[in-house]
Amino acid sequence: MTTSAPPLWPHCAHGADPAADSVGCRGIHVPGHTACLAHLADADRDAYLASLTAGASIDHRGTTFTSRLLNSLLRALRDPTTGHPRFGIAEFAGSTFESEAFFGEATFEGDAFFGEATFERDAFFGEATFQHNTVFAEATFKGEAFFGEATFKLAGFGEATFERDAFFGEATFEHNAWFKSATFERDAFFGEATFKDAVFAEATFKGDAFFGEATFKDAEFGESNFERDAFFREAIFEHNAVFGAATFERNAWFGSTIFKDDARFGETTFSGDAEFQSATFGGDAEFQSATFGGDAKFQSATFGGDAKFQSATFVEADQFGPLMCAGRLVLSSATFGGPVTLSIAASRLECRRTRWSSTAEVRLRYATVDFAHAVFEYPLTIAAESEPFLLSDGRSLSEDLFPSAYDPGVRMASLRGVDAAHLVLADLDLWECLFTGTVHLDQLRLEGACTFNSAPSAVHWRRWPPVRFTERRVLAEEHHWRAGQPGSVPGWVLGTGRAGPLQLAPVYRALRKAFEDQKHEPGAADFYYGEMEMRRHADDIPRSERALLTAYWALSGYGLRASRALAWLGTAMFLTIVLLMAFGLAQETPKQTATGTVPAGGGKVTFEIDKDDPQNPTGDRFTGKRFEKALNVTFNSVVFRSSGQDLTTAGTYIEMTSRVAEPILLGLAVLAIRNRVKR
């Protein structure tokens, strides 16, 4: 885009400089005379005008034109074929037009210089054709300015002042249109105008600005000030549209506007409503540090690239969307001042350090969401929308940017640094979510079908002993940690998380409590298992505690794996039976004997009843009869009862050990079953 303005006072074509004449006039002298056209003698003026033909170049800088004088000049330059004035080089810089200036349908074949000119009344340039440079820089239009349907090759209106309405409707700017620092005191009409490079940087629009249906190739409105409504509805920006640091003191209307390339609204201030309903952004849309004082209406807006709203401020917006973004929608460090509902279909939503000062609801489709270090003091809900968003007229939001193969589900990427005390997650995919650093995680509410990652469940024979992980809910960060360990088995996924067991144990503990508070016992059991696993692998526990936890894990999976406890119970019972048959059961049932002494002469007889010690078994020990006895002893041991069988000394110790270990294993199995089925 060209950013240099044409000169205000070009070099005089006739070699004369502006100078005051004898009556104080600063008008340029007519060639061959010592006065300007306004002060020339009548006979000399008539002779000069008679010498002019259509297409002649003229130099009347600084001249004051009355209606009669201007009309005389225009008649002298009238083309007999078209009936309209035709100029070569036209130099009117610094001139004053005291009455209406009619240049309508005129043709300027050379450069046209009106810099610093003053139009005391209305100026008519409608349908005029400017074939070369056109300079109205610092010109003052005290009446209305009509440039409707005019054609400009290069137009410079920098620092021009339009004290009344300015009409440029359907005008065509073939190359640069330079309105930098121009001031429009009242309404400015550019509807259906066509621009190649339009520069309105630092311009001031004190009335309404109408650019509806205008077409821009490149447009520069940086630091412009629109004091009243600005209308850009259905405008088309072919390439870059720059509104950086512009100020819209009232409403800005961009409904159905098409931005085919990048659109930059960084640091723009929208004091009233910002209406971008049904707008189309083909490239990136940048609203960094923009301020939305009223509603931010982006309903049905479409972003083909990234939409960047980082550090933007939404003072009163109660709705944001529904909108569609094929790239990233960045709301990082943005601030929402009031209750708001965001409805977004995007590939990725970034809300790092975003601040909500009131209740909010974020409804999403397709998106991967990063909420790291977001701040909210009131309830905030993040929910996946199962069906396309409905617009205010009842139609569904078009999702053409997302092929039908795309999963409309919503994936949470990070909640690090968030205070989850007021956070509700509904129907989200939490497989890759990073939770380390989240505070008040035990108060997090999970609604609907929130899914977590899972442990690899296949048996891995590559190691000895073979490793099998029971399927359970697992945090993504545990995946990352296990995948980074030496000798890691396949199935664990390496990621960016660097948290270890010491950091993950409290995260699992908090999530377990959150599930318990919501009466979701199976989910709480999974996170209890994860907590115990992280405690067992942490570096800050004594060896004795690690050994105890390892035994607890091996015997029953921390009281959560019934199959493991039952397997150990079965193994213990089998071992007890084998040991009893081999060493514990006596060879035969010992016989009781009674011995006594009969006193001489009769009297009371005293008998002493005794029993032989059980004999260690010999011969064939593994018989059906001995198995039946061993099984009886073992089953009684499981329920902590004595079988009453005659046992050897070794058998007694075997039974004692069995009566301690097997009830514990049975209890662990019952506990595990209860934890899995409890609701």
Side-chain angles (χ1 to χ4, degrees), residues 100 187 578 644:
E100 286 84 355
D187 295 345
V578 171

Side-chain angles (χ1 to χ4, degrees), residues 315-348:
V315 179
E316 297 180 356
D318 60 354
Q319 294 282 340
F320 186 73
L323 59 83
M324 179 170 52
C325 179
R328 296 181 305 144
L329 180 60
V330 183
L331 290 170
S332 298
S333 299
T335 301
F336 291 87
V340 62
T341 298
L342 293 84
S343 303
I344 299 167
S347 295
R348 184 176 180 85

Side-chain angles (χ1 to χ4, degrees), residues 3 17 141 161 185 190 295 309 340 431 477 499 550 569 615 620 668:
T3 58
D17 295 323
F141 297 86
T161 300
E185 299 282 351
F190 288 85
D295 288 337
F309 290 84
V340 62
W431 275 54
E477 288 146 308
T550 301
L569 176 60
Q615 299 298 310
D620 189 4
L668 290 174

Side-chain angles (χ1 to χ4, degrees), residues 202-206 221 223-227 246-249:
E202 302 178 40
T204 300
F205 297 84
K206 295 185 177 181
F221 286 85
E223 300 184 52
S224 296
N225 185 38
F226 299 85
E227 295 187 4
T247 300
F248 296 87
E249 297 188 10

